[in-house]
Amino acid sequence: MTTPTIPPVGPTTTPSAAEPTLAALKAKFGSVPKMFSTFAHSPAALDAVAGYFDAMGRAKLSPRTQEAIAIAVAELNRCTYCLSAHTALAKGHGVKADELSGFRTGRSADPREQAILDLAVAIARTRAADVGPQLAQARKAGLSDAELVEVVAAVAQNVLTNYLNVVAGTEVDFPRVA
């Protein structure tokens, strides 16, 4: 295990402005994942990321599909923390091991979900510069404008958390995926 470059806050280092959000996260998850404790150095950043997670919980994209996007993007960004966290969350949504393996490579047996993953991976790989074919395929698969916006939002959400965890060297507190 390596020493985090930005360690999570602890009982004596938590900014008071971060305490309500951390308490809400503890109530939601049973404990506070280290990623959120790392974001808590900046109460504004913590509130932003927690709000992002809450808002995306109301998205039209299913939790399973959002986890598929998160796993594919974490794999691309080499974020072991998010890969491990979202694999555990996807298992909680009933995703099977072979499907999880597929998500890591941007693959799904479901054609609609495949179109979504193709778009998400293209956005992440090209920084949205060259996604015309994938966007057209997603539209052909029946995605609404709202769902297309949510794919972009899901990629952005995961890039944010991936980057913080990679930069911070956040210790994985979920079953580790190699």
Side-chain angles (χ1 to χ4, degrees):
M1 180 174 74
T2 60
T3 303
T5 57
I6 305 173
V9 297
T12 61
T13 59
T14 300
S16 60
E19 290 173 0
T21 303
L22 291 174
L25 290 164
K26 184 175 182 179
K28 181 177 184 176
F29 294 111
S31 65
V32 177
K34 289 186 179 178
M35 178 189 77
F36 291 114
S37 294
T38 303
F39 268 106
H41 284 284
S42 166
L46 175 64
D47 287 348
V49 78
Y52 212 139
F53 274 87
D54 284 343
M56 289 302 289
R58 298 186 305 273
K60 291 181 180 286
L61 292 178
S62 72
R64 172 199 160 91
T65 298
Q66 289 188 57
E67 296 305 338
I69 293 168
I71 290 167
V73 173
E75 185 74 26
L76 285 172
N77 290 326
R78 298 183 179 123
C79 181
T80 303
Y81 186 93
C82 290
L83 182 61
S84 300
H86 290 288
T87 296
L89 292 168
K91 285 179 181 177
H93 292 295
V95 178
K96 296 181 180 20
D98 62 325
E99 293 175 297
L100 292 168
S101 178
F103 292 166
R104 288 181 72 169
T105 60
R107 294 283 160 244
S108 173
D110 177 81
R112 186 173 193 279
E113 194 169 65
Q114 184 61 59
I116 291 168
L117 285 174
D118 287 345
L119 178 58
V121 167
I123 291 166
R125 279 196 177 131
T126 70
R127 294 181 297 279
D130 188 21
V131 299
Q134 294 84 5
L135 181 62
Q137 190 61 35
R139 285 192 180 283
K140 186 176 175 183
L143 269 75
S144 67
D145 287 344
E147 290 167 315
L148 293 171
V149 169
E150 289 174 2
V151 171
V152 176
V155 171
Q157 172 186 17
N158 286 286
V159 166
L160 169 62
T161 59
N162 291 175
Y163 284 9
L164 177 73
N165 289 311
V166 170
V167 168
T170 308
E171 181 184 348
V172 178
D173 51 359
F174 290 87
R176 189 179 188 85
V177 174

